[in-house]
Amino acid sequence: MRALVAMAALAALTAGPVYADCSYPAPPDKLPDGNTATKEEMIAGQQMVKSYDKAINAYLSCIKLEHDGAASKIGDKPTTPEQKKALDDLDRMQIQKNNAAVDQLQSVADRFNEQVRVFKTKHKDDPKS
């Protein structure tokens, strides 16, 4: 019976997030098109990407705190198979969330950088851009 109670308590600790503030940031709605954008629109797009980068980094910090808080409730050195599995599950989930956020950020940055290259190619002879 004690094992069942311990497992239920462990499941309760790992079932939900510790921090409710770890909301995944939405990527910019629309990046400028390098073929048609003005210099000002490209600069605004750059600011959107920078803001998104900051939001992703805040999210990554939050999920790290979330992970560390949940892991500390389990303990640094798990003594039971259930604790080890719970800690492994926490680690795996944190890594998946982290990687997904970094991949999404990289995708946004890559798409914007491609539009910058298009813009620069289109305006290479224009001294105002």
Side-chain angles (χ1 to χ4, degrees):
M1 182 68 172
R2 278 190 174 168
L4 183 60
V5 171
M7 286 175 47
L10 186 60
L13 286 175
T14 61
V18 176
Y19 302 98
D21 296 322
C22 294
S23 56
Y24 191 84
D29 290 334
K30 185 178 179 191
L31 295 173
D33 179 346
N35 284 308
T36 60
T38 64
K39 183 177 180 180
E40 292 75 23
E41 290 170 331
M42 294 302 291
I43 292 170
Q46 180 185 39
Q47 292 305 314
M48 285 189 298
V49 173
K50 285 181 177 181
S51 293
Y52 183 59
D53 179 60
K54 287 180 184 176
I56 286 290
N57 284 310
Y59 170 76
L60 294 176
S61 294
C62 185
I63 63 170
K64 174 76 171 125
L65 286 172
E66 180 181 80
H67 168 272
D68 293 349
S72 71
K73 290 180 181 180
I74 295 171
D76 291 340
K77 298 179 182 178
T79 57
T80 67
E82 292 84 9
Q83 288 175 324
K84 176 148 179 37
K85 182 181 179 333
L87 197 54
D88 288 345
D89 289 346
L90 275 175
D91 290 346
R92 187 180 69 255
M93 183 61 67
Q94 197 270 337
I95 290 168
Q96 287 174 345
K97 288 179 179 180
N98 184 86
N99 291 348
V102 170
D103 289 348
Q104 179 70 32
L105 174 60
Q106 187 63 54
S107 174
V108 168
D110 289 346
R111 289 192 331 263
F112 179 71
N113 288 333
E114 176 60 28
Q115 294 309 310
V116 169
R117 285 189 288 280
V118 168
F119 179 83
K120 285 183 176 183
T121 299
K122 183 170 174 136
H123 297 282
K124 68 181 173 186
D125 296 327
D126 184 2
K128 293 181 182 180
S129 47

